[in-house]
Amino acid sequence: MTHKDLSFRCIAYREKTGPYTGVCLDLDIVEEGHATLEEAILSISDAILSHLQAAAKLDFPKELINRSAPKEYWNKLKEITQERLHKKGLEPFQFFTSQLPTGLIYA
């Protein structure tokens, strides 16, 4: 397995007036307490990179690579996409990609 074989689904969101949270849904990594959306995205990116570096040292064991987030975060994804669908009509949500220093890209 190489880093080019890996992609992960992530969300970043804010509950009402609270801090921002970033979640990697496929690795069950959560980064909370950020003042801005950008901080949450950078934090989850760093956490993914750190996690993958540790997993690489162990030859990518399944228990470190195949870890789905709890249902509450998948429900949050559903909630976010449904809200956007109702507010904007045809565009349910936007994807973004970011290149990590190792060449990993996530959306």
Side-chain angles (χ1 to χ4, degrees):
M1 176 182 295
T2 68
H3 67 271
K4 292 180 183 177
D5 297 328
L6 303 173
S7 64
F8 305 101
R9 292 169 286 185
C10 299
I11 58 173
Y13 64 92
R14 181 179 186 191
E15 295 285 354
K16 307 255 181 205
T17 60
Y20 287 88
T21 299
V23 180
C24 179
L25 298 166
D26 297 309
L27 293 176
D28 189 18
I29 299 172
V30 179
E31 292 290 310
E32 299 177 306
H34 300 285
T36 66
L37 180 62
E38 292 79 15
E39 285 179 17
I41 292 169
L42 288 173
S43 182
I44 198 67
S45 297
D46 289 343
I48 291 168
L49 180 58
S50 295
H51 181 84
L52 293 177
Q53 288 171 339
K57 291 178 182 178
L58 300 170
D59 200 25
F60 294 101
K62 287 182 183 181
E63 59 271 8
L64 291 181
I65 297 301
N66 189 16
R67 300 179 349 167
S68 186
K71 188 176 179 179
E72 68 183 277
Y73 295 112
W74 291 97
N75 289 342
K76 178 55 74 176
L77 172 64
K78 186 177 178 181
E79 177 186 322
I80 292 167
T81 56
Q82 286 178 348
E83 285 177 8
R84 300 282 307 244
L85 179 62
H86 293 300
K87 288 181 182 177
K88 291 195 174 194
L90 298 177
E91 186 180 340
F93 54 89
Q94 295 176 317
F95 284 103
F96 67 90
T97 60
S98 177
Q99 183 113 17
L100 298 173
T102 60
L104 292 170
I105 298 177
Y106 70 94

